[in-house]
Amino acid sequence: MAEKELSGESGTAAARGPLAGVRVIETGSLIAGPFCGQLLGDFGAEVIKVEDPGAGDPMRQWGSNLPQGLSLNWPIIARNKKSVTCNLRHPEGQALLRDLLETSDVLIENFRPGTLERWGLGPDTLAEVNHRLVVTRVTGYGQDGPYSGRAGFGSIGEAMGGLRYITGEPDRAPSRTGISIGDSLAGVFAALGTVMALLSRERTGRGQVVDSAIYEAVLALMESILPEWELCGSRRERTGSVLPGVAPSNVYPTRNGAAILIAANRDTVFNRLAELMGRPEWRTDPRYGTHAARGENLADLDKLIAEWTGAQDAEPLLNLLHEAGVPAGLTYTAQDMLTDPHFEARQAIVRLVHDKLGSFPMQNVAPRLSDTPGAVRALGPDLGQHNDEIYGGVLGLDAADRARLREQGVI
């Protein structure tokens, strides 16, 4: 797939990525494992994605919008990666992967626990091939425990980790976010663990296993729900657009129909909001003068603020809030992001050229590093696009060997 960079970090900067020289073999599919690979590739790692010779990663076909039958997810989650085909259920395919891992630094996989072991590719076996190899394993429930053998998708991990129960309106069944947040969180933690394992390897000379479970990645973000229950007998419930005890922090109406977010729950910020609203007496009002009091009187306070915002148009109101030092903003859609001057100034969105769809926008690399920044260098590759480069250049297989493996369905 031919692309060229239109904006974002330069190719020179990309070559200085902090993971330049690190070779990653990614055998995962869909989101959790591949998102880990995306993050590592963003920061300069050579990510070689191993896909089944048939249809490849199902993410190539996923999405609610498929212009020309093409997934809009694939160019993003497979960016900066090379694609080779390999049938890991075939003994020769397993041998090819083992050969690749001899000169690699990281293996990413998100198969059900025990799958690699059945193929003779478990971490203990691979350590005999390459004792410096980091094996990053992403699953629903982790590599051990009574649930480890279950099929685990992100939605189940979100429920088990506690996120689903507290998401949504209080009078309705639990809701979900509009993205696969559980899978992505597991990928983020997997990438973090991988980098830490590589850092540890610099001291010990040995790789290790990184075990990232979706439900644990979600659980890690659940703040104090566990001690709240055990020590106080308090269970967080669904509260819609507000957080219990935190006020004001909500979405408020405006005269021209736009909804704005105002987050002024900290005492000093609330005092600035009160001054702006012409209600300086709220500073000492026992109902609103402290964080705890505002939390107890959340509904009344939100009603008063909504009456004030509802009498004004959004843009001038936001300007007043910004000038007063009160955090506020609109709820952005993709259209807003693509036209926002701050997004443009920070190059938060990068564009590359897709060979069929033309200019292709996507989120840029995060976080930013001052000396060794990451970069988006290429969109997701065609299936098997790099077979000759990797099998020929890295493993030294000649054209006849590659042709035989293709005929046998190995690659």
Side-chain angles (χ1 to χ4, degrees):
M1 181 178 291
E3 311 98 11
K4 65 178 180 180
E5 193 172 49
L6 295 181
S7 63
E9 282 79 14
S10 68
T12 301
R16 294 188 291 113
L19 296 180
V22 173
R23 176 172 289 164
V24 177
I25 306 299
E26 178 194 300
T27 60
S29 61
L30 297 177
I31 298 174
F35 190 60
C36 171
Q38 177 192 322
L39 296 175
L40 300 179
D42 282 350
F43 287 98
E46 178 191 26
V47 181
I48 301 171
K49 183 171 182 62
V50 176
E51 302 183 71
D52 186 82
D57 190 329
M59 189 57 70
R60 290 178 177 274
Q61 287 80 43
W62 275 35
S64 55
N65 294 287
L66 299 169
Q68 301 184 45
L70 300 171
S71 169
L72 298 181
N73 291 305
W74 176 255
I76 301 173
I77 200 165
R79 69 192 194 187
N80 296 331
K81 299 178 184 178
K82 300 175 180 179
S83 171
V84 300
T85 51
C86 183
N87 183 354
L88 294 178
R89 294 168 179 79
H90 192 288
E92 284 199 77
Q94 296 159 9
L96 284 176
L97 179 60
R98 194 176 297 109
D99 290 343
L100 280 175
L101 293 173
E102 285 186 17
T103 57
S104 298
D105 300 284
V106 178
L107 168 65
I108 301 173
E109 64 99 0
N110 62 350
F111 302 112
R112 197 177 297 192
T115 301
L116 282 186
E117 285 78 1
R118 288 197 306 274
W119 293 340
L121 297 168
D124 291 343
T125 302
L126 294 177
E128 298 174 1
V129 174
N130 179 358
H131 68 274
R132 292 175 56 81
L133 184 70
V134 173
V135 180
T136 299
R137 316 189 78 171
V138 188
T139 56
Y141 304 97
Q143 294 299 311
D144 53 18
Y147 303 161
S148 60
R150 295 179 180 178
F153 265 33
S155 56
I156 308 304
E158 291 164 23
M160 187 175 174
L163 180 62
R164 285 294 184 100
Y165 184 82
I166 64 170
T167 302
E169 298 296 330
D171 59 345
R172 302 177 191 175
S175 187
R176 67 165 296 163
T177 58
I179 56 173
S180 302
I181 188 68
D183 287 307
S184 298
L185 283 173
V188 170
F189 279 95
L192 174 63
T194 299
V195 172
M196 289 191 292
L198 289 171
L199 180 62
S200 175
R201 190 183 70 176
E202 293 303 303
R203 295 191 294 268
T204 67
R206 297 193 64 84
Q208 59 184 294
V209 174
V210 177
D211 182 356
S212 179
I214 295 173
Y215 87 96
E216 289 171 351
V218 174
L219 179 63
L221 271 65
M222 296 308 293
E223 300 176 351
S224 59
I225 65 165
L226 297 176
E228 285 173 12
W229 171 251
E230 183 165 306
L231 302 181
C232 305
S234 174
R235 183 174 68 192
R236 289 201 197 184
E237 301 291 344
R238 292 179 291 285
T239 54
S241 63
V242 301
L243 287 175
V246 178
S249 183
N250 206 342
V251 180
Y252 302 95
T254 61
R255 185 168 54 195
N256 63 331
I260 64 169
L261 281 156
I262 299 177
N265 47 291
R266 185 175 177 178
D267 287 349
T268 53
V269 179
F270 177 73
N271 291 341
R272 293 197 290 267
L273 176 63
E275 287 284 349
L276 186 63
M277 293 177 63
R279 306 297 292 266
E281 71 276 9
W282 281 358
R283 294 185 178 191
T284 56
D285 191 314
R287 297 170 300 169
Y288 311 129
T290 66
H291 184 273
R294 289 192 296 276
E296 292 174 0
N297 294 280
L298 183 153
D300 291 339
L301 182 57
D302 272 351
K303 181 179 179 182
L304 292 170
I305 295 173
E307 291 173 355
W308 177 70
T309 62
Q312 304 177 67
D313 290 338
E315 185 173 351
L317 174 57
L318 284 170
N319 289 335
L320 288 174
L321 290 164
H322 296 326
E323 291 171 4
V326 177
L330 299 171
T331 52
Y332 274 26
T333 65
Q335 182 179 5
D336 298 317
M337 299 173 192
L338 287 165
T339 57
D340 186 272
H342 191 77
F343 278 67
E344 182 179 2
R346 286 182 54 83
Q347 293 187 303
I349 296 172
V350 65
R351 290 179 178 273
L352 280 75
V353 174
H354 189 287
D355 60 357
K356 295 183 177 66
L357 301 177
S359 180
F360 194 100
M362 68 175 71
Q363 51 273 45
N364 211 338
V365 176
R368 293 174 173 231
L369 302 184
S370 61
D371 292 339
T372 56
V376 182
R377 302 176 299 280
L379 300 177
D382 291 334
L383 182 61
Q385 180 176 329
H386 300 91
N387 277 1
D388 288 341
E389 174 188 338
I390 302 303
Y391 291 137
V394 176
L395 297 188
L397 298 179
D398 61 25
D401 285 333
R402 299 197 299 273
R404 177 183 63 82
L405 291 173
R406 279 194 295 270
E407 291 172 1
Q408 294 178 345
V410 177
I411 64 174

